Amino acid sequence: MAGEYAATMQAWRDDPSAFWLRAADAIDWVEPPKAAFDPSAGVYGRWFPDAVCNTCWNAVDRHVETRGDQPAIIHDSPLTGRQRIITYRDLAARVGAMAAVLKDFGIAKGDRVVVYMPMIPEALVAMLACARVGAIHSVVFGGFAARELAARLDDAEPALILAASCGIEPGRVIAYEPLISEAKRLAKVRPPVLYWQREAAPADLAADDYDLGALFAAALEEGRTVPCEPMKGTDPLYILYTSGTTGRPKGVVRDNAGHMVALAWSMRNIYNIEPGEVFWAASDVGWVVGHSYIVYAPLLIGATTIVYEGKPVGTPDAGAFWRLIAEHKVVSLFTAPTAIRAIKKDDPDGRMPADHDLSHFRALFLAGERADPASIVWAEKALGVPVVDHWWQTETGWAIVGNPLGLEPLPIKHGSPTKPMPGYDVVILSDDGEPVPAGTLGNVAIRLPLPPSCLPTLWGDEERFRSAYLDAFKGYYNTSDAGMIDDDGYVFVMARTDDVINVAGHRLSTGVMEDVLTSHPSVVECAVVGADDPIKGQVPLGFVVVRPGAEIDGLEAELVAKVRHEVGPVAAFKHVIPVPRLPKTRSGKTLRATIKKIADGETYTMPATIDDPEALADIEIAVTSRGATA
Ligand code: COA
Ligand code: AMP
């Protein structure tokens, strides 16, 4: 309805507490919140500090009576050729049985449980079972290697790992047991592992390993369950690690109450989804999009969620997404622009959607990286529905800037994720922390307090939370994105201001890759930058200075293999360019932004602070001769 967006923003600005208390009506509470916000608690205040609740109850139990026979989860797996439907009634029984298994292993409120599973319903069941017993889950994406898993084990100190025996990628099966065993060797924290055995590659169980499927089946057979643990609104629901500037991942903490309230609000007002409808987020449970919009948000409102074990292309072709939408009556799809670029490459004229009945399909949502206008235009033409970009981060758990289709569809400007959502006072600041005029590029910041669902801190490291997000601009959360707001209030998000790169919608740290490269005996120093890529948006490119006398033949292959082994295949690290030296400022900081410009073939201005201008010429020569031989 016209004016609804402005009215909603005004209502939130006039009285944020009343606004969020009204939104809290969508949730079943053990004890409803009396106060929405306590400004004196935590680092910048805490949401719903006096509420008592359980997220599993809200996502599962409360729907059994009214929609027990409705599908809660549809698993569609072209990689195994299987499909499975789990109703809300089935889901309640499964989550109850999984929770009983957790209890048998002594898992109690506040314990951490690492979940290392691919796109199978058991990943969701495991997460919900943790929520049920009050354990804090930390899901690790299957594309990360052992060293990354080890870093998460040491930081979260879990009491248990719930794993699958394997993940399945096109053309290969990834056995998880060797990865987990190596991670346990590398880590100081070595919890028991419960393996969900999959046919494609069952795990050989060692001393401290258990057969999760067998334990679960017995609990299910006996109809075992455990009651939902009453949780304080501010108790953590999960920790999700994300990339920062340094090699050490940041453990983003998510509260129970604020998360539920914000997600339920977003499902209706941003995604325009009603209970009973089918919503599909084509991401992975290992990322924040998966946490929020594969698992929690659809289930919180009693919708049906799709768990897709496949790719946008190649499983079997670029029509896969449209086949699923038609077959399962999906009303809205959420994916990353990279998936659209991959589909567009195989179906440039956008003919494949016409092979399917998409009459019930209402909107395509994009996030995870900047949505390039060319992909949006292609999708609009091919699908004939609104293509809606929205911008958010692991840290927030839901959209900071978006287009609230359920409230009032705002006119779309290509290249902009549209306008701030309630709760987010988005401001563009100069490097000195001063607000800049409309249309001026600067640091995108959010005036404190952050709204419900946003991180209250980093796991076990409040100091790092302050220094990473709050210290740059007093009174603001620094998003580490650069952008601008135009005269109409539309926000444009252009690039990261730190050393995080975005590869196929996956957030990765160049610092992690640099650590791996410099640990090779032949490498003296290095710089990894995100070079432009037509499909993945960015791909990492490593520039290395090699030790005098070191063997250069075969070094690239060795370094590529090392990053794949230590960070994981998802880094998509494939190229290394040796250079005699790296360009630096006089204070010794590597000029990565300028190196990136050279790698992308863009013009650049000589940085005033450069120590040795010749070093830039070296990079140019190396990039050009690499291009000539590529
Ligand atoms: N477990 C193990 N390996 C994994 C993995 C997982 N869960 N996910 C990805 N990988 C591997 C891939 O097999 C690939 O390995 P390869 O180097 O042997 O080919 C590598 O990691 C890179 O994977 P990916 O980024 O998926 O690239 P791709 O070339 O296989 O496919 C796209 C390209 C665009 C189709 C794909 O990236 C995609 O679907 N992106 C959508 C992104 C998304 O959902 N983002 C989440 C935020 S919304
Ligand atoms: P992640 O935490 O993995 O969700 O990654 C968050 C980062 O991805 C943001 O800080 C942005 O840099 C980028 N990003 C996500 N969505 C968008 C978008 N719609 N437009 C531009 N950048 C985006």
Side-chain angles (χ1 to χ4, degrees), residues 464-487:
R464 191 172 181 207
F465 174 60
R466 288 177 197 276
S467 63
Y469 300 103
L470 308 184
D471 285 355
F473 307 115
K474 199 168 161 29
Y476 296 89
Y477 164 88
N478 179 17
T479 67
S480 292
D481 275 310
M484 61 154 189
I485 301 179
D486 74 6
D487 288 328

Side-chain angles (χ1 to χ4, degrees), residues 442-601:
N443 301 283
V444 189
I446 302 165
R447 202 187 305 273
L448 294 173
L450 294 168
S453 163
C454 293
L455 79 173
T457 189
L458 291 174
W459 179 254
D461 202 345
E462 191 172 296
E463 192 37 52
R464 191 172 181 207
F465 174 60
R466 288 177 197 276
S467 63
Y469 300 103
L470 308 184
D471 285 355
F473 307 115
K474 199 168 161 29
Y476 296 89
Y477 164 88
N478 179 17
T479 67
S480 292
D481 275 310
M484 61 154 189
I485 301 179
D486 74 6
D487 288 328
D488 301 325
Y490 279 65
V491 180
F492 290 75
V493 179
M494 310 309 291
R496 293 285 301 195
T497 55
D498 56 9
D499 295 327
V500 163
I501 60 171
N502 205 310
V503 180
H506 309 313
R507 175 168 159 183
L508 297 167
S509 159
T510 53
V512 170
M513 296 183 234
E514 290 178 0
D515 285 354
V516 174
L517 296 179
T518 43
S519 70
H520 189 285
S522 298
V523 174
V524 178
E525 60 173 348
C526 71
V528 174
V529 300
D532 287 351
D533 182 83
I535 301 293
K536 297 196 178 197
Q538 293 185 323
V539 287
L541 181 56
F543 291 86
V544 296
V545 178
V546 178
R547 185 171 51 78
E551 183 56 65
I552 221 154
D553 272 357
L555 181 63
E556 178 172 20
E558 254 177 65
L559 293 174
V560 166
K562 191 166 160 63
V563 174
R564 190 177 173 94
H565 180 71
E566 293 185 29
V567 183
V570 70
F573 184 84
K574 305 259 155 99
H575 303 289
V576 177
I577 301 184
V579 287
R581 61 201 140 165
L582 290 171
K584 296 197 178 159
T585 63
R586 279 186 284 277
S587 58
K589 197 169 178 296
T590 305
L591 289 159
R592 289 185 180 76
T594 314
I595 300 178
K596 172 176 161 50
K597 283 207 162 110
I598 297 174
D600 292 340

Side-chain angles (χ1 to χ4, degrees), residues 242 288 366-371 389-395 417 479 481 493 496 502 505 507:
T242 191
V288 69
L366 298 176
E369 58 178 320
R370 187 174 147 73
D389 180 16
H390 58 325
W391 165 65
W392 50 296
Q393 307 183 315
T394 304
E395 287 83 346
T479 67
D481 275 310
V493 179
R496 293 285 301 195
N502 205 310
R507 175 168 159 183

Side-chain angles (χ1 to χ4, degrees), residues 294-522:
I294 295 174
V295 188
Y296 287 110
L299 299 180
L300 282 170
I301 67 151
T304 299
T305 186
I306 304 260
V307 174
Y308 177 60
E309 194 176 22
K311 299 272 171 176
V313 293
T315 56
D317 57 31
F321 277 16
W322 325 131
R323 193 265 301 161
L324 258 92
I325 291 172
E327 207 169 310
H328 305 304
K329 297 275 177 290
V330 174
V331 297
S332 285
L333 167 67
F334 177 169
T335 191
T338 188
I340 299 301
R341 290 193 296 270
I343 294 170
K344 179 173 151 220
K345 181 164 171 263
D346 286 4
D347 182 18
D349 299 325
R351 292 186 199 284
M352 293 179 105
D355 297 338
H356 303 273
D357 174 8
L358 305 184
S359 51
H360 52 279
F361 183 53
R362 299 200 296 255
L364 172 66
F365 289 87
L366 298 176
E369 58 178 320
R370 187 174 147 73
D372 54 297
S375 300
I376 296 185
V377 170
W378 178 90
E380 283 173 338
K381 198 158 157 274
L383 298 169
V385 298
V387 178
V388 182
D389 180 16
H390 58 325
W391 165 65
W392 50 296
Q393 307 183 315
T394 304
E395 287 83 346
T396 66
W398 66 294
I400 306 166
V401 169
N403 195 335
L405 292 197
L407 207 53
E408 177 192 0
L410 299 172
I412 288 171
K413 284 193 192 189
H414 291 162
S416 166
T418 313
K419 294 192 179 184
M421 292 296 95
Y424 294 103
D425 188 352
V426 179
V427 184
I428 309 293
L429 300 175
S430 67
D431 289 344
D432 302 329
E434 294 301 322
V436 300
T440 310
L441 202 61
N443 301 283
V444 189
I446 302 165
R447 202 187 305 273
L448 294 173
L450 294 168
S453 163
C454 293
L455 79 173
T457 189
L458 291 174
W459 179 254
D461 202 345
E462 191 172 296
E463 192 37 52
R464 191 172 181 207
F465 174 60
R466 288 177 197 276
S467 63
Y469 300 103
L470 308 184
D471 285 355
F473 307 115
K474 199 168 161 29
Y476 296 89
Y477 164 88
N478 179 17
T479 67
S480 292
D481 275 310
M484 61 154 189
I485 301 179
D486 74 6
D487 288 328
D488 301 325
Y490 279 65
V491 180
F492 290 75
V493 179
M494 310 309 291
R496 293 285 301 195
T497 55
D498 56 9
D499 295 327
V500 163
I501 60 171
N502 205 310
V503 180
H506 309 313
R507 175 168 159 183
L508 297 167
S509 159
T510 53
V512 170
M513 296 183 234
E514 290 178 0
D515 285 354
V516 174
L517 296 179
T518 43
S519 70
H520 189 285
S522 298

